């Protein structure tokens, strides 16, 4: 059974940085593509970034390109999302998910974490 746990969320000021981590139990992260998604109150869940099983292919939403970086940390066995130059519109609950591909479509992912709150103040 695969389980995912997100960590690293918190409160940050406009322009600040946070690093989110997605840790897996069960079969382990190397067997899956990992996506990061976020959901703000009253809005639909949106794909933020994804990374392939090998780490050789990454995708980013247009709204975060140049600010966010997704990576695999083989030592810690996590997939991390480095978020820089944060804006209030980045506020939301961030989820990591495991799937077969590296798209930003939620339906492509089968296992989800419980989420971690990211709040960016103005």
């Amino acid at each position: 059974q695969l389980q995912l746990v997100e960590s690293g969320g918190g409160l940050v000021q406009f322009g600040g940085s946070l690093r989110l981590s997605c840790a897996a139990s069960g079969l382990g992260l190397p067997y899956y593509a990992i996506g990061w998604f976020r959901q703000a109150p009253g809005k639909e869940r949106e794909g933020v970034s994804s990374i392939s099983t090998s780490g050789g292919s990454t995708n980013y939403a247009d709204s975060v390109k140049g600010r966010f970086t997704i990576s695999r940390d083989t030592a810690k066995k996590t997939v991390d999302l480095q978020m820089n130059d944060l804006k209030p519109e980045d506020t939301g609950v961030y989820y990591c998910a495991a799937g077969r591909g590296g798209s930003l479509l939620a339906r492509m992912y089968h296992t989800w974490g419980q989420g971690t709150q990211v709040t960016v103040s103005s």
Side-chain angles (χ1 to χ4, degrees), residues 104-120:
L104 297 180
L105 298 175
R107 67 174 183 267
M108 302 299 293
Y109 296 84
H110 54 76
T111 303
W112 294 76
Q114 294 300 304
T116 184
Q117 177 70 43
V118 171
T119 303
V120 184

Side-chain angles (χ1 to χ4, degrees), residues 11-95:
L11 175 64
V12 66
Q13 292 183 321
F14 188 104
S17 298
L18 286 172
R19 188 176 184 88
L20 306 182
S21 292
C22 177
S25 63
L27 295 178
L29 292 181
Y31 297 96
Y32 304 96
I34 298 295
W36 281 98
F37 297 78
R38 67 188 181 190
Q39 188 166 24
K43 296 185 178 181
E44 296 181 353
R45 187 170 299 185
E46 64 174 336
V48 176
S49 184
S50 68
I51 190 166
S52 64
T53 54
S54 67
S57 180
T58 59
N59 292 299
Y60 298 92
D62 289 342
S63 60
V64 306
K65 287 181 179 178
R67 299 189 297 122
F68 291 11
T69 303
I70 191 169
S71 62
R72 288 185 180 270
D73 188 325
T74 56
K76 296 182 179 180
K77 299 182 179 180
T78 62
V79 170
D80 300 332
L81 184 69
Q82 179 66 44
M83 306 186 296
N84 298 324
D85 192 24
L86 285 163
K87 305 174 181 180
E89 50 263 44
D90 295 318
T91 293
V93 178
Y94 282 68
Y95 302 87

